Amino acid sequence: MNIKKAYFLTSCVKSSQFPAFSYPEFAFFGRSNVGKSSLLNMILGQKGLVKTGARPGVTQTINFFIVNDNRSFADLPGIGYAKLPLSVKKKFMPMIKEYITSRDNLKLAFVLIDARRTPGDYEHDLLNLLIENKIPIAITLTKCDKLSKNELAKSIADISNTLEIDKKSIFITSTKTNTGKKELLSLIDEFSR
């Protein structure tokens, strides 16, 4: 897949605001500070399109992007490390659940996990919700450049054991080296058909 054009469409906090179109949609989930915005910018080939912040928790809404006028990407709020008021944090999981259960055009969920972290309750809850709603999942490790080859191999083994998934179904990425970009774009192409 070649990305010729991508632009921000809208930010939403509830399903009544979600844009209505029939494009295949691809959603990006992950904890605060996992590198979601940077990964989206890498895939889209535009550095500043998706806001990145020095502090975790920049994404507090569901942000929709149109790609090549025939696909949409959704950037979901991160949960976890962000130093946000509890009242704001408490809205995130219901918002995520509402998104997953209401998007008929959602083709694939990219679940981002920092290669240096062990998945916790958030990842397990999210995966269960996606599986219940029959949404295909791509486990995507971020910040892989921060680990040596041996450390990365151990991390992949630990994550596949923790999540009870095949190691071969885990995608490796690094926004510093563009690792994984081609593979993720091929996957998006495959699920767009």
Side-chain angles (χ1 to χ4, degrees):
M1 175 183 157
N2 247 343
I3 293 183
K4 297 180 180 95
K5 182 167 81 169
Y7 59 91
F8 170 75
L9 180 68
T10 187
S11 294
C12 308
V13 293
K14 55 187 176 186
S15 58
S16 60
Q17 301 171 329
F18 293 165
F21 42 60
S22 57
Y23 300 148
E25 191 155 281
F26 299 88
F28 294 79
F29 300 87
R31 288 179 179 271
S32 297
N33 209 26
V34 75
K36 204 160 26 71
S37 301
S38 297
L39 184 87
L40 273 162
N41 283 330
M42 177 184 84
I43 293 171
L44 295 169
Q46 293 184 42
K47 265 193 177 146
L49 183 61
V50 185
K51 273 187 209 162
T52 60
R55 290 187 332 270
V58 171
T59 309
Q60 296 181 26
T61 56
I62 301 173
N63 298 315
F64 290 88
F65 299 84
I66 301 298
V67 181
N68 289 351
D69 290 326
N70 61 10
R71 292 174 182 89
S72 61
F73 284 12
D75 180 14
L76 283 289
I79 287 183
Y81 316 119
K83 290 177 182 173
L84 294 170
L86 194 59
S87 59
V88 174
K89 284 187 191 180
K90 278 186 172 176
K91 293 176 185 171
F92 287 174
M93 208 54 194
M95 193 193 310
I96 289 168
K97 188 173 185 173
E98 189 176 0
Y99 170 80
I100 290 169
T101 56
S102 68
R103 295 306 273 175
D104 293 335
N105 59 331
L106 179 55
K107 300 296 181 191
L108 180 65
F110 289 94
V111 177
L112 278 54
I113 299 170
D114 186 324
R116 302 164 299 170
R117 311 262 178 252
T118 302
D121 291 346
Y122 164 69
E123 286 82 8
H124 286 284
D125 292 348
L126 178 60
L127 291 175
N128 287 336
L129 187 58
L130 290 164
I131 290 163
E132 278 168 29
N133 287 276
K134 298 178 174 55
I135 309 294
I137 301 160
I139 300 294
T140 307
L141 299 193
T142 61
K143 307 183 183 185
C144 294
D145 56 283
K146 295 184 184 289
L147 298 175
S148 69
K149 271 190 177 177
N150 287 344
E151 289 169 334
L152 184 56
K154 185 184 181 313
S155 173
I156 293 167
D158 290 347
I159 289 167
S160 72
N161 288 336
T162 303
L163 298 178
E164 298 174 0
I165 56 168
D166 186 348
K167 283 193 281 199
K168 291 174 188 158
S169 66
I170 295 174
F171 291 85
I172 307 304
T173 70
S174 164
T175 57
K176 285 204 169 137
T177 61
N178 269 358
T179 302
K181 178 176 179 174
K182 200 171 90 178
E183 291 78 3
L184 296 188
L185 286 171
S186 294
L187 198 60
I188 289 164
D189 229 10
E190 186 186 321
F191 278 86
S192 296
R193 293 182 195 124

